[in-house]
Amino acid sequence: MPIYRGNIGLLAAGATFKPDLKPNDRFGPRGGRVRVRAKNKTTANVTILETLFVGNELVENRALVPDDATGIVDNFTPAVEAIGGPGDVIDVTYTNSGTAAAALANWVIEIENA
């Protein structure tokens, strides 16, 4: 199961960020499941929103990424999970909708093919 970890560093207000999930950005021939978790490390005037598409289905639309002073993503971090069909694309987007100049966040994306 591929696990992608990363951070969003200095994302300007109004800007978006898409994690690069290649070569696992599509499910295999039997479909699969994706699990996405993230935490916003910057709390002052920063709102990071998460959007998740699996195939052409909108799973999560601009959901608020929780604030945490440490920004550490662990097993207690709220997650969104979705099941996809064969060849479905996994598309995750983070948007800084706050007024601060830059946002910092950490994310973990787990992709499991059936």
Side-chain angles (χ1 to χ4, degrees), residues 4-43:
Y4 292 83
R5 301 172 193 265
N7 59 31
I8 302 165
L10 303 177
L11 185 64
T16 61
F17 170 79
K18 289 183 174 247
D20 183 9
L21 303 177
K22 291 180 181 162
N24 299 297
D25 59 340
R26 290 182 179 272
F27 288 118
R30 294 186 313 205
R33 173 187 311 263
V34 62
R35 183 174 190 218
V36 180
R37 296 177 284 163
K39 278 196 181 170
N40 177 9
K41 186 173 180 181
T42 311
T43 56

Side-chain angles (χ1 to χ4, degrees), residues 35-57:
R35 183 174 190 218
V36 180
R37 296 177 284 163
K39 278 196 181 170
N40 177 9
K41 186 173 180 181
T42 311
T43 56
N45 300 320
V46 175
T47 303
I48 298 178
L49 305 174
E50 181 179 81
T51 300
L52 172 63
F53 275 93
V54 174
N56 61 359
E57 182 177 335

Side-chain angles (χ1 to χ4, degrees), residues 36-102:
V36 180
R37 296 177 284 163
K39 278 196 181 170
N40 177 9
K41 186 173 180 181
T42 311
T43 56
N45 300 320
V46 175
T47 303
I48 298 178
L49 305 174
E50 181 179 81
T51 300
L52 172 63
F53 275 93
V54 174
N56 61 359
E57 182 177 335
L58 178 62
V59 177
E60 182 179 47
N61 185 29
R62 297 175 58 88
L64 183 65
V65 173
D67 295 339
D68 186 324
T70 65
I72 297 171
V73 177
D74 56 22
N75 288 335
F76 299 104
T77 303
V80 61
E81 292 188 16
I83 295 173
D88 278 353
V89 175
I90 303 161
D91 184 15
V92 182
T93 303
Y94 294 100
T95 304
N96 178 357
S97 69
T99 59

